[in-house]
Amino acid sequence: MAYEAKNFEHLLGTKGLSDQLLKNHFTLYQGYVTNTNKLADTLNAMLKEGKAGTPEYSELKRRFGWEWNGMRLHEYYFGNMTKGGKPIDKNTNMYKKIVEDFGSYEDWEKDFRGVGSMRGIGWVVLYYDMIEGRLFNTWINEHDVGHLCGASPILIMDVFEHAFMIDYGVKKAGYIDAFFNAIDWTIDPELDKMLFE
């Protein structure tokens, strides 16, 4: 079954992110969905043709992680934003866990922003390690490199140039401000209880 691109047009009009920037970004995301489907179909056909041991199959298999993660990371990124943003509820277990692991919400935010301000392309991910029950802000250089094995992404910020250059040039700090103003911290009560209690 083919993956379908999700519609994130409800984000148009988000303060600090121009509609042109968002539309370009949506198009890029749709390309990841298209390429994920193409690679899945090609790999399946090659498998049926007995070409699983070929160098071509191997390289396409490696490429699949890039396209699939590009698709999924963008879905998380767009999915954790809303026009006007929604602040985190200080009564949630998520908020309490941030305070426990980082000392304060403000310290967590400084760290997340600091990771986002690092030079280079990539992603910033707030991960939850369900085994040890810890939160980490992590830099991912490429879609398919640097993920914390077994950890669940909670919040994603895209810091590839396409996410900010049209609006901010090389001044990433303005983009990070706009992102923070658009974060939707709505937390499902059942998930909050299950993960962080």
Side-chain angles (χ1 to χ4, degrees), residues 1-44:
M1 183 151 116
Y3 290 100
E4 292 185 25
K6 296 180 182 350
N7 186 329
F8 295 106
E9 289 184 2
H10 64 279
L11 293 175
L12 294 174
T14 297
K15 185 178 177 182
L17 302 173
S18 70
D19 286 353
Q20 183 62 53
L21 178 127
L22 287 170
K23 287 177 183 178
N24 286 355
H25 210 163
F26 299 157
T27 299
L28 180 82
Y29 154 67
Q30 290 164 355
Y32 285 115
V33 176
T34 298
N35 288 336
T36 295
N37 288 322
K38 284 181 184 176
L39 278 172
D41 291 344
T42 302
L43 287 164
N44 190 38

Side-chain angles (χ1 to χ4, degrees), residues 19-175:
D19 286 353
Q20 183 62 53
L21 178 127
L22 287 170
K23 287 177 183 178
N24 286 355
H25 210 163
F26 299 157
T27 299
L28 180 82
Y29 154 67
Q30 290 164 355
Y32 285 115
V33 176
T34 298
N35 288 336
T36 295
N37 288 322
K38 284 181 184 176
L39 278 172
D41 291 344
T42 302
L43 287 164
N44 190 38
M46 290 179 81
L47 183 64
K48 288 178 181 175
E49 295 165 8
K51 296 180 179 176
T54 65
E56 295 84 5
Y57 181 87
S58 298
E59 289 311 309
L60 290 177
K61 200 64 156 169
R62 287 183 182 100
R63 182 68 187 189
F64 184 80
W66 168 265
E67 299 295 345
W68 194 89
N69 282 353
M71 173 186 70
R72 191 63 80 219
L73 286 166
H74 279 98
E75 289 172 353
Y76 289 148
Y77 167 70
F78 294 130
N80 59 219
M81 290 192 293
T82 189
K83 280 191 271 191
K86 290 188 181 170
I88 193 166
D89 181 345
K90 293 181 179 179
N91 295 313
T92 60
N93 291 319
M94 175 70 199
Y95 179 84
K96 293 171 187 170
K97 187 65 181 156
I98 287 172
V99 171
E100 178 185 324
D101 286 355
F102 290 89
S104 69
Y105 178 88
E106 294 73 22
D107 285 344
W108 165 80
E109 184 175 326
K110 282 182 212 169
D111 186 60
F112 194 92
R113 286 175 177 267
V115 175
S117 298
M118 291 169 33
R119 290 178 48 86
I121 57 168
W123 300 86
V124 183
V125 180
L126 170 60
Y127 272 118
Y128 180 62
D129 173 12
M130 293 174 57
I131 294 170
E132 294 296 325
R134 293 181 60 195
L135 293 168
F136 296 94
N137 290 327
T138 304
W139 175 268
I140 296 170
N141 193 49
E142 300 282 355
H143 305 332
D144 55 343
V145 178
H147 294 278
L148 299 181
C149 184
S152 298
I154 303 291
L155 181 70
I156 306 277
M157 180 172 63
D158 189 342
V159 286
F160 276 81
E161 288 91 348
H162 62 253
F164 60 87
M165 291 281 291
I166 289 174
D167 292 350
Y168 295 97
V170 295
K171 297 183 175 157
K172 204 184 319 182
Y175 160 70

